[in-house]
Amino acid sequence: DQQVKQNSPSLSVQEGRISILNCDYTNSMFDYFLWYKKYPAEGPTFLISISSIKDKNEDGRFTVFLNKSAKHLSLHIVPSQPGDSAVYFCAASAASGTYKYIFGTGTRLKVLA
Amino acid sequence: SQTIHQWPATLVQPVGSPLSLECTVEGTSNPNLYWYRQAAGRGLQLLFYSVGIGQISSEVPQNLSASRPQDRQFILSSKKLLLSDSGFYLCAWSPAGRSGYTFGSGTRLTVV
């Protein structure tokens, strides 16, 4: 059972426009969420996080929104740049001794120049 | 500063051969350590995690095993590789407590 889902495998956006990447989860115990960016043949790099006590977190061009009632989070990138082209993973964890993260299947973003 | 090293970067192995992938972390102590796999067209699947020396938890039944012989060393092994073991293997670490991961650069394993 996939507890973290990214239903859009790919997304294309024009440079300068907004990119919106979506993520849904099923486990109501999840209370901390991360977004990672991954280039081919490299390890993922951390982008932004959000705790369930917040509904929004912003870092430069990246904003993450959390809707707990809908069990949905989204990553907004404004403005999108060609260097943002990568695979984006959302990840969720529940408060526990290990804080292990469950990752979604990823969304491939292509920003067109 | 903390760094994570993972090797080799690429590996081609025949079916039935053994496997050993190594991951080490520098600049921290008592990290949580993780092995993930990204199979072709799929997300990141957690394989093993460890909260201390000799403490290994397995997330999915499979042909692989993990060991943590030292505080900052995490090893992924197999006695006999299967074709289905092909994928991109990622080691990650996090501090004890709630924090995100830092990933290594990954190992592309192709079983032929």
Side-chain angles (χ1 to χ4, degrees):
Chain A
D1 178 34
Q2 189 74 23
Q3 297 185 67
V4 179
K5 302 176 185 179
Q6 293 176 256
N7 292 318
S8 298
S10 63
L11 175 68
S12 291
V13 172
Q14 283 296 131
E15 181 179 6
R17 308 294 284 266
I18 184 171
S19 294
I20 300 176
L21 297 103
N22 294 304
C23 179
D24 297 292
Y25 61 96
T26 58
N27 189 339
S28 58
M29 299 300 292
F30 288 150
D31 65 346
Y32 200 77
F33 305 88
L34 309 173
W35 282 94
Y36 279 83
K37 174 180 178 180
K38 184 183 181 300
Y39 293 117
E42 294 183 10
T45 54
F46 171 74
L47 272 179
I48 194 168
S49 64
I50 190 165
S51 162
S52 61
I53 63 173
K54 294 185 175 182
D55 54 19
K56 177 183 174 181
N57 189 25
E58 215 169 332
D59 184 0
R61 296 186 299 113
F62 301 92
T63 302
V64 56
F65 296 91
L66 175 63
N67 182 334
K68 289 187 291 293
S69 60
K71 295 191 180 69
H72 176 83
L73 63 156
S74 60
L75 175 69
H76 293 210
I77 307 173
V78 184
S80 301
Q81 300 173 353
D84 295 329
S85 297
V87 177
Y88 289 78
F89 291 96
C90 65
S93 76
S96 73
T98 59
Y99 299 119
K100 60 185 180 182
Y101 285 90
I102 306 300
F103 282 78
T105 51
T107 295
R108 182 177 302 279
L109 173 65
K110 188 172 184 179
V111 180
L112 306 170
Chain B
S1 64
Q2 302 89 2
T3 55
I4 180 168
H5 302 280
Q6 186 181 343
W7 67 93
T10 59
L11 191 59
V12 180
Q13 292 284 96
V15 169
S17 64
L19 173 73
S20 181
L21 302 181
E22 188 164 343
C23 173
T24 59
V25 181
E26 295 177 357
T28 187
S29 51
N30 197 31
N32 290 339
L33 295 171
Y34 308 85
W35 279 110
Y36 278 82
R37 176 172 61 198
Q38 182 185 18
R42 302 187 66 180
L44 300 175
Q45 182 185 34
L46 178 62
L47 302 177
F48 300 95
Y49 65 91
S50 172
V51 299
I53 296 174
Q55 300 178 59
I56 308 295
S57 296
S58 174
E59 286 295 295
V60 293
Q62 58 202 311
N63 186 40
L64 302 167
S65 62
S67 61
R68 185 171 177 172
Q70 300 180 43
D71 180 45
R72 290 168 290 174
Q73 183 185 29
F74 206 21
I75 297 173
L76 184 69
S77 303
S78 173
K79 292 182 179 177
K80 289 185 178 181
L81 283 169
L82 305 172
L83 287 174
S84 58
D85 292 323
S86 294
F88 191 58
Y89 289 82
L90 289 155
C91 180
W93 80 273
S94 69
R98 173 57 61 81
S99 180
Y101 297 163
T102 299
F103 282 90
S105 53
T107 296
R108 169 72 59 192
L109 171 66
T110 304
V111 182
V112 296

